[in-house]
Amino acid sequence: MKKKICLMGGLAGLSNSYIKDCYAMVKLSGGQSSGGFIGCNYGEIYNSWCQTDSKRGKIMAGFAAKNEGIMEHIFYIDDRKKKKKEFADSELALDSESIQNLPWDYERTWNRDEVPRRFKEDAFHIESGVADEWIEIDSIEGFTAFADGVNRGNRQYQYAACRLTADLDFQGKKLIPIGEDDALPFKGIFDGGNHSITNFKIKGKRKYGGLFGCLKDAKIVNLTVDGMIQGAEYSGGIAGMMEGGIISCCGSAIRIEAKKYAGGLVGKNRDGILIKNYAVGLIHEHKRPWFLLLFLIPLLLLLLKLGIPYPSVPVDGNVQAIHDGLKPQNGNTAAFEFNRLIVFTDGIGELAFYNPGNSTQDIVVKLTISDQELIDKLGVNHRTFLDQKRLEVLGEYDPETYRQDLAVSGRVPAGSRLETLTLNALQDGTDLPPGTYKGIIELVFYDSESQEKALLNSQLPVGIEIR
């Protein structure tokens, strides 16, 4: 049985990237690992603090329940009334004299006169950047329409530059996250304009919960939120999941029922940047009533007897069944055919992918292009400025090996064809211009019966022509 994970942190449940000048004052209860600032840190954290009131966690820490990264000039304040269990990182609890000597930025960021530290009022703002066109939101109806546009995959909204021009009070009504699916994340700019979105509820079983469900290379600034989240695997006041991009000068007052990854600001931060943010509120682990086990035991025994299937990648909506008279062979057999030159016209590419009936593997097709090919043909790799800087800082960037997805199919079952692929934008949101390019087809295999993902995949060179 898969081990249950519940990581909770005052600011973020998990982060593998960069955090600076942030603080959290969040009460935590339960969880496999809970830290007053972060559950698990695999990245870098600088000049940050938290006030901790953590209870009943398996691994309880004042600042970070697990740290395999870098943490400098940080501390926590133990706010528990009863200290029955010592925090795992007790050495990070500093006295007032040590706090005064921390080399923080007191001219532009922190107010030296406040203990614990708060941001300077005139410093809690950042310019959102320049855009050709801004979408302005001044009502709940406008916000809902914008969220609906992103969640429907409308690229005008998905990559939009958006500005909030008024405070929005949901008065306890339900809110649908912007970018509620990782297949359709928000990739644009959202400038809160120092306004707030308050009194919202996000309830029900879902993967991502937050004002933004899933972010990818987005920029979220100058925004404060106040709400409640229940039932999401990834939960955070601003975002359930953040992949790349930046969140800055944002605040969150949140109440979360945690299931997997939960943070006051962000549930899980993968490759993103958090600068000058705060979170306050309450996070507690989701618990099922014990008496439900009485009803679940017979069902579990039945599933064990019948076998529990692996979760399946959805079949591509454009797949066509074929009748080639072939039957699956014994063992693991994969066979396929496709065009070695994929020509795209108006965003639709001619793939002609064939997975014969004698195959024992279903296949997902990914068309990728290397950063080096983009540099050679276009002069730039079309990554966002923030993502490029992040890769350079990490010191692991090689344009020959780093690739971007141009198109990804759904599952193509054995005994079927997929004639076309739909072209996606490059990482910075621009379209690949007309021309010919060298690409790579990546084939991801799944067992046709169990849907278990194979350990080995295939990569083959392919030509790309954009008309």
Side-chain angles (χ1 to χ4, degrees):
M1 182 177 292
K2 189 174 181 180
K3 188 177 181 180
K4 181 182 178 184
I5 297 176
C6 184
L7 304 181
M8 305 189 308
L11 193 85
L14 183 146
S15 174
N16 74 341
S17 194
Y18 185 87
I19 302 175
K20 184 180 179 182
D21 293 331
C22 294
Y23 72 87
M25 300 173 66
V26 177
K27 292 186 176 182
L28 306 171
S29 179
Q32 181 189 27
S33 300
S34 62
F37 189 85
I38 192 165
C40 290
N41 173 49
Y42 298 97
E44 302 172 57
I45 303 176
Y46 304 98
N47 302 8
S48 299
W49 68 273
C50 66
Q51 182 169 298
T52 306
D53 184 0
S54 184
K55 300 176 182 177
R56 295 190 295 276
K58 185 175 180 181
I59 300 176
M60 295 166 49
F63 193 89
K66 182 177 182 180
N67 175 44
E68 294 189 3
I70 299 172
M71 300 194 305
E72 293 183 0
H73 311 314
I74 55 92
F75 70 92
Y76 74 85
I77 299 170
D78 192 342
D79 196 42
R80 295 176 296 173
K81 294 180 180 179
K82 296 181 180 180
K83 301 176 176 61
K84 294 182 179 180
K85 184 178 180 180
E86 186 176 22
F87 283 142
D89 55 353
S90 57
E91 73 280 2
L92 297 179
L94 301 184
D95 56 39
S96 58
E97 183 178 351
S98 298
I99 293 172
Q100 291 288 350
N101 294 329
L102 290 173
W104 287 8
D105 184 355
Y106 295 110
E107 291 188 9
R108 296 175 297 178
T109 303
W110 297 98
N111 189 336
R112 184 188 290 272
D113 298 330
E114 284 189 282
V115 179
R117 299 285 182 254
R118 298 290 196 281
F119 297 124
K120 287 188 172 184
E121 187 174 345
D122 58 353
F124 199 61
H125 181 83
I126 185 173
E127 293 300 321
S128 55
V130 178
D132 295 334
E133 184 177 356
W134 287 87
I135 295 176
E136 295 191 345
I137 296 177
D138 61 1
S139 66
I140 291 176
E141 292 76 17
F143 177 89
T144 303
F146 178 75
D148 185 63
V150 174
N151 295 336
R152 288 178 178 271
N154 187 325
R155 293 185 63 185
Q156 178 185 355
Y157 293 98
Q158 195 176 5
Y159 292 89
C162 183
R163 182 182 289 123
L164 191 64
T165 60
D167 294 338
L168 303 183
D169 185 349
F170 274 75
Q171 300 181 342
K173 296 178 181 178
K174 187 177 179 180
L175 178 147
I176 302 299
I178 300 173
E180 62 176 340
D181 191 317
D182 52 12
L184 296 170
F186 179 65
K187 301 182 178 182
I189 300 172
F190 193 99
D191 187 344
N194 295 334
H195 291 289
S196 60
I197 299 176
T198 60
N199 296 320
F200 60 82
K201 291 182 179 180
I202 299 173
K203 301 180 70 175
K205 186 177 180 181
R206 63 175 63 245
K207 190 169 184 179
Y208 302 107
L211 186 74
F212 297 89
C214 192
L215 297 171
K216 185 176 177 63
D217 302 317
K219 185 175 186 180
I220 313 299
V221 297
N222 310 320
L223 177 64
T224 303
V225 300
D226 180 348
M228 181 267 287
I229 304 172
Q230 290 181 344
E233 294 183 22
Y234 297 73
S235 302
I238 295 294
M241 174 70 175
M242 174 187 186
E243 185 174 352
I246 184 171
I247 298 175
S248 184
C249 295
C250 290
S252 170
I254 201 72
R255 295 159 299 286
I256 296 175
E257 185 180 76
K259 295 186 72 175
K260 192 171 182 181
Y261 297 96
L265 193 84
V266 175
K268 185 175 182 180
N269 171 27
R270 186 168 64 195
D271 304 333
I273 297 173
L274 304 177
I275 297 180
K276 215 181 301 183
N277 303 290
Y278 72 87
V280 299
L282 169 68
I283 302 176
H284 66 93
E285 184 181 8
H286 170 75
K287 294 288 188 180
R288 292 182 177 87
W290 66 268
F291 57 81
L292 289 180
L293 291 175
L294 298 176
F295 301 96
L296 289 175
I297 288 173
L299 177 60
L300 289 172
L301 291 174
L302 177 62
L303 288 175
L304 288 172
K305 183 177 181 180
L306 297 176
I308 302 174
Y310 291 87
S312 172
V313 176
V315 173
D316 195 290
N318 294 319
V319 157
Q320 299 175 5
I322 55 176
H323 303 285
D324 52 13
L326 300 176
K327 296 182 179 181
Q329 300 179 7
N330 295 327
N332 294 323
T333 304
F336 46 83
E337 297 177 4
F338 60 90
N339 289 340
R340 291 306 193 265
L341 174 64
I342 302 177
V343 179
F344 284 88
T345 305
D346 295 329
I348 303 299
E350 300 172 5
L351 178 65
F353 187 86
Y354 168 47
N355 187 9
N358 61 350
S359 173
T360 62
Q361 303 289 312
D362 294 356
I363 303 174
V364 171
V365 182
K366 295 174 65 176
L367 175 62
T368 68
I369 189 169
S370 71
D371 283 13
Q372 188 62 58
E373 177 69 5
L374 293 172
I375 293 171
D376 291 343
K377 291 296 180 70
L378 307 177
V380 292
N381 62 9
H382 280 287
R383 291 188 178 272
T384 62
F385 174 80
L386 288 173
D387 188 57
Q388 183 64 46
K389 288 300 179 185
R390 175 186 61 80
L391 293 174
E392 292 172 0
V393 168
L394 292 175
E396 60 180 29
Y397 179 63
D398 181 356
E400 291 283 358
T401 58
Y402 270 73
R403 297 200 291 262
Q404 301 181 36
D405 292 344
L406 294 179
V408 181
S409 77
R411 183 164 51 89
V412 183
S416 60
R417 295 181 64 90
L418 180 64
E419 295 293 344
T420 61
L421 284 174
T422 301
L423 188 66
N424 295 329
L426 296 170
Q427 198 262 353
D428 64 356
T430 60
D431 293 326
L432 188 64
T436 57
Y437 305 88
K438 296 176 182 178
I440 296 289
I441 282 283
E442 297 181 15
L443 302 177
V444 185
F445 299 105
Y446 294 82
D447 186 273
S448 295
E449 293 185 1
S450 69
Q451 292 305 301
E452 182 178 4
K453 185 178 179 181
L455 296 177
L456 297 177
N457 301 317
S458 293
Q459 299 183 6
L460 301 165
V462 68
I464 303 170
E465 182 177 343
I466 308 295
R467 294 180 177 175

